[in-house]
Structures are given as C-alpha cells and as structure tokens.
C-alpha cells in the first residue's frame, strides 16, 4: 500500500506558464516583486526576510558580503582585531551622509550599536550581545570592546545589526522610525502603502551613487510565486525573488527573461513552541513526539515534489555543504516504524497539532505533504494559513503550537542558532532554553580556529538533535528572475537583492 502522502504528489506539482513578451519599462524605475509585504523598515525591529531586501537599498551597513560570502567594506573601510580578540577597531569612510544631511561618523555608529543593544524594542541584541562598550576614538574611528572574544560579531555587522540609521531621526521617532526611516543607503524613503507598495528614490549625495542606475525603486509583496511570475512576464515587474523551482526551466527557455540562482546559507523548518503560552502539551513538552514527527517526514519527497529536486534536504541549522555540518548526524530517511516507536515512548497514540504556515504556494505545499506524512503515525496536523507579518507577531509572543518559517542564514554558523534558540533571546519563537547549549555556543564564539569551532558546533548539533525545538527540513536556493535586459545581477548567498552595478541595457 502506497504511503498516503504520495497521493498528493501529482496534485502539488507546479506547472509552467505561457510566455509573453514584457513591454519596456522606463529606464529610471525598477519594479521588484517580493514574496511578502515587509514588517518594519527599522533595522532594530525588522524580522522578515523580505524587509532585508528593502533595507539593503535604504540603510548602509558597517560591512557587507559579496557574491562569494566574503565580508567586504561598506561604511567601515577597514577593521582590526586586538591580539586578545576582545577589541574591534573600525576605520570609517569620511564621505557618507544620512538622507537628512547629517554626517555618518563614529558617534553615529556608537549610537546605533547602543540602540541595537539597549532599546526595549530591539531584536538585534542576541546577535551582538558580546559587545560591552563602544568608544569614539575620533570622527572616523570606532572601538568596539567585547565582554569576551566573539568571532561572529563582524558577520553580524554585515546584516541588520550593522545597519546604520540617522541618530537625529532615531531620537525623534523612537519606535515609529519605521514610518519615516532615514538612513544613508543609495536610496531614500518616499512612501509606503501597507500590503501594496514601498517606494524609494535615489539619494544623489550617496558616496557611490554612480553605481546605481535606477532613479526609483518600487517594491510589491506578492505571496503567490505564480502571480509574481505573471507580473514579470506582463511587464508589471522587472525583477522577482524566489521564482518557484518548478518554473526555472520554462523561464530559461523564454528569451525575454533570465534566471539568477544562488545556493542559500539558511534553512526551512518546523519550529515548535516549547515554553511559550501557546505550546502544545504533547508536541511542545515531549521531545520523543518531535523525534517521531521528524522520522515520519520524507524530505527527499518534499524536495522532488515542491522544488523539482533543487532544494538540498537537511536536518541541521547549516546545509550539508557547510564545513560546520556534522556528518555524524546524517539526514534521516523516512522511518514510519521508528516514528511509531517514538510515539509509544512518549505514551501517546495520537496528537492534534496546529501548524501556522505563510500563505505562499510553496510553503503551503510543503505543509500539505507533511500533514499527510505525519498523519500515518497519529499526528493530526491542522494547517492554518497565516499572512507572514501576522504569523511573525504571533510567533514572537509564543502564542502558537508550531510554525513553518525559514531563516535566510548568515556567513557565520553561530548566527544560524543563537538568535533563534539561545535562552531568553527576543527572536527565540520556541521559548526554548538549554543552558548547556548556551554555554557551548558561547565557547564556540570565542574560538578563532575553524577546526576547534567545528568541535563545539558538533556538540551544539547533538543537543539540538535530541531536543528538536526546530525540525529542520531543507535548504533552498535563492532563485531570482528578471527581464533579460536587466544586467549586472550578482546574487549573494544571503539571498538579498543588491543593486550596485545593476542596470537596464
């Protein structure tokens, strides 16, 4: 008898769309389709992946990464670690200004790092918690003093924790900064119509303004990948993120379009509420049930059905291609009998579990497959489609049983675990806490030698394999599609759209 979930395969496969030639758009405007509508446009509070696309063009960072995942200069032109790795000294460029005309200087960097660390609304503290104090040495020199050595700090400064806002605007607006953000990036804020569009325009005083070809950017959230692709084909959009893997071959055959994929750093998985008020009394409290859940899942089938075999299956916070992936814990094959034994070990025959899932088609399909797979061992999943920003708000409060959300990944392995799973972190949706894990991660952050760090992350992975606050499923590619006259795209492995050097030929 065929497993129940196999009956869903044919119905879930995505088909291609008919080709149409997109009309030419104005040279000065780039229209970008995102998978969702972003949450906030404040680097300290933003928690959505799509928000990072907008913030990348709006807010310069202390450092950035290139298409190879290497950390490169941005506002900091150079940096130096002390011999004991407890002091990081940044040398800043002297020609950067905020969109309100004020200067980007060492005092502004100090303000931003202290805001990220101390503001009650900030979600960045777990990423840079190693910072003790920040000193202004001179207008272009900042000294960051750490409580203990922290190798991941520089990588954290290549993302939202390192995004710099105008102190003048930050002080004036406080938690309402997101309504009128003022940063120092190549584009400045014009308007936002929630659930419709975000508009940015080129900032003429930007130090590298000549590298940015478009006068205006218009971002629109469209959860359905088919709708994004249709809008690209019709000319309503010029560039879209997360093209469905099943549409790649059809788009490649369309001379009016082009595809740019890059392997991602992050993961997708099922997060269980462990200590939150919405935790399921069975799945949230009994690790054996979460083990059963994981054993009942056929990850290969998910990759083949939903992603045309292009997703890399996984069971750890890092993809199997990562040097920090622990081969002692290979991706488990589906094992129904072992899963049933785990259910018996937990003392239950059946469990009812609510799963919050964003409304995009791919994750809905993943959820439907999982629902059928785990039903065979007595776990009855009810799928609750939820708009992403609403889901993230519910998750932050711990008022859920489980959710299917991904993490886009960072170049340092610590940042794929600590923000989500360290005790008390504001971004720890699971409300999970394991002091042994925290101690292991703290030690790993202090080690510069890669092989020695691997040993510590192996200990961390062993803890997570036992506790399973997150059941990791797969690691996807970031697949961009755009009109073929858009040139210069160099996707980076964090999946964020960078527009330096991108133009319309």
């Amino acid at each position: 008898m065929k497993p129940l979930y196999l009956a869903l395969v044919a119905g879930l496969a995505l088909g291609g769309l008919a080709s149409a030639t997109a009309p030419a758009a104005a040279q000065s405007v780039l229209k970008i389709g995102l998978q969702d509508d972003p949450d906030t446009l404040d680097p300290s509070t933003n928690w959505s992946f799509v928000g990072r696309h907008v913030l990348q063009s709006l807010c310069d960072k202390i450092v950035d990464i290139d298409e190879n995942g290497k950390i490169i200069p941005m506002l900091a032109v150079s940096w130096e670690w002390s011999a004991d790795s407890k002091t990081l000294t940044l040398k800043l460029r002297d020609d950067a200004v905020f969109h309100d005309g004020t200067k980007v200087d060492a005092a502004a960097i100090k303000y931003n790092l202290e805001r990220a660390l101390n503001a009650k609304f900030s979600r960045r503290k777990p990423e840079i918690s190693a910072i003790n104090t920040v000193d202004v040495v001179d207008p272009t020199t900042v000294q960051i003093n750490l409580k203990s050595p922290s190798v991941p700090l520089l990588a954290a400064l290549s993302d939202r924790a390192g995004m710099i806002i105008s102190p003048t605007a930050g002080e004036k607006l406080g938690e309402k900064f997101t309504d009128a953000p003022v940063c120092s990036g190549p584009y400045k804020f014009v308007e936002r119509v929630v659930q419709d569009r975000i508009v940015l325009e080129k900032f003429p005083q930007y130090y590298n303004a000549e590298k940015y070809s478009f006068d205006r950017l218009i971002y629109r959230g469209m959860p359905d990948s088919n709708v994004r692709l249709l809008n690209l084909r019709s000319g309503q959009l010029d560039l879209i993120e997360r093209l469905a893997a099943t549409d790649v071959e059809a788009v490649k055959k369309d001379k009016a379009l082009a595809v740019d994929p890059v392997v991602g750093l992050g993961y997708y998985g099922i997060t269980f509420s462990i200590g939150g008020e919405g935790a399921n009394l069975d799945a949230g409290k009994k690790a054996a049930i979460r083990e059963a859940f994981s054993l009942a899942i056929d990850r290969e089938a998910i990759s083949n059905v939903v992603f045309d075999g292009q997703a890399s299956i996984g069971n750890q916070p890092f993809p199997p291609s990562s040097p920090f992936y622990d081969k002692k814990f290979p991706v488990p094959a589906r094992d129904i009998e072992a899963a049933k034994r785990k259910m018996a070990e937990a003392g239950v025959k059946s469990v009812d579990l609510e799963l919050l899932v964003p409304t995009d088609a791919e994750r809905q399909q993943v959820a439907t497959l999982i629902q059928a797979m785990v039903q065979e061992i007595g776990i009855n999943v009810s799928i609750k489609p939820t708009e992403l920003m609403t889901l993230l708000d519910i998750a932050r409060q711990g008022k859920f049983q489980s959710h299917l959300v991904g993490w886009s990944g960072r170049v340092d392995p610590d940042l794929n675990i600590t923000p989500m799973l360290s005790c008390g972190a504001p971004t720890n949706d699971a409300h999970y806490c394991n002091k042994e894990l925290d101690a292991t991660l703290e030690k790993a952050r202090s080690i510069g030698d890669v092989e020695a760090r691997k040993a510590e992350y192996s200990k961390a992975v062993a803890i997570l394999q036992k506790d399973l606050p997150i059941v990791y499923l797969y690691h996807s590619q970031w697949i961009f599609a755009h009109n073929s006259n858009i040139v210069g795209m160099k996707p980076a492995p964090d999946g964020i759209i960078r527009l330096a050097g991108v133009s319309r030929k």
Side-chain angles (χ1 to χ4, degrees), residues 337-491:
E337 293 308 312
K340 288 178 178 178
R341 289 195 294 272
K342 284 293 178 182
M343 291 288 282
E345 179 184 320
V348 296
K349 290 186 177 180
S350 65
V351 172
D352 295 328
L353 181 69
E354 183 179 77
L355 177 64
L356 305 187
V357 185
T359 55
D360 61 275
E362 285 187 344
R363 280 179 286 192
Q364 287 290 316
Q365 292 165 355
V366 171
T368 301
L369 277 175
I370 289 173
Q371 180 187 51
M373 291 171 181
V374 301
Q375 185 178 355
E376 294 183 42
I377 64 167
I379 298 179
N380 305 308
V381 170
S382 58
I383 298 171
K384 186 175 182 179
T386 308
E387 188 272 327
L388 181 62
M389 296 308 106
T390 301
L391 190 159
L392 293 178
D393 186 56
I394 293 170
R396 187 177 65 249
Q397 299 175 56
K399 297 179 179 178
F400 72 104
Q401 294 186 0
S402 63
H403 70 53
L404 172 55
V405 176
W407 175 248
S408 53
R410 301 294 183 270
V411 292
D412 190 279
D414 180 77
L415 299 174
N416 276 15
I417 307 176
T418 294
M420 282 67 65
L421 295 172
S422 62
C423 297
T427 48
N428 182 343
D429 291 351
H431 287 65
Y432 164 79
C433 181
N434 185 311
K435 296 293 186 181
E436 182 185 357
L437 176 67
D438 277 13
T440 300
L441 294 173
E442 182 177 4
K443 183 177 179 181
R445 287 192 291 271
S446 70
I447 300 172
D449 179 75
V450 172
E451 292 304 315
R453 289 192 86 196
K454 285 182 183 179
E456 295 306 315
Y457 286 112
S458 291
K459 296 176 186 176
V461 167
I463 294 169
L464 295 177
Q465 293 292 310
K466 178 182 176 183
D467 291 354
L468 285 177
I470 299 175
V471 172
Y472 301 100
L473 299 172
Y474 58 91
H475 310 271
S476 62
Q477 292 191 80
W478 301 114
I479 307 174
F480 300 95
H482 51 84
N483 292 330
S484 56
N485 63 358
I486 300 296
V487 296
M489 280 284 292
K490 294 181 179 179

Side-chain angles (χ1 to χ4, degrees), residues 28-32 214 216-218 238-239 486 499 504:
S28 62
V29 180
L30 186 69
K31 295 167 289 186
I32 301 170
F214 301 97
R216 182 162 284 219
L217 309 178
I218 301 175
D238 299 306
L239 166 66
I486 300 296
L499 295 175
R504 182 181 281 112

Side-chain angles (χ1 to χ4, degrees), residues 98-127:
F98 291 108
H99 301 149
D100 58 10
T102 57
K103 186 78 174 172
V104 178
D105 56 13
I109 302 295
K110 175 181 170 71
Y111 170 85
N112 275 269
L113 292 175
E114 291 179 346
R115 181 178 188 259
L117 279 170
N118 302 322
K120 65 180 186 299
F121 51 79
S122 175
R123 304 189 75 156
R124 304 281 79 86
K125 184 173 181 177
E127 300 161 23

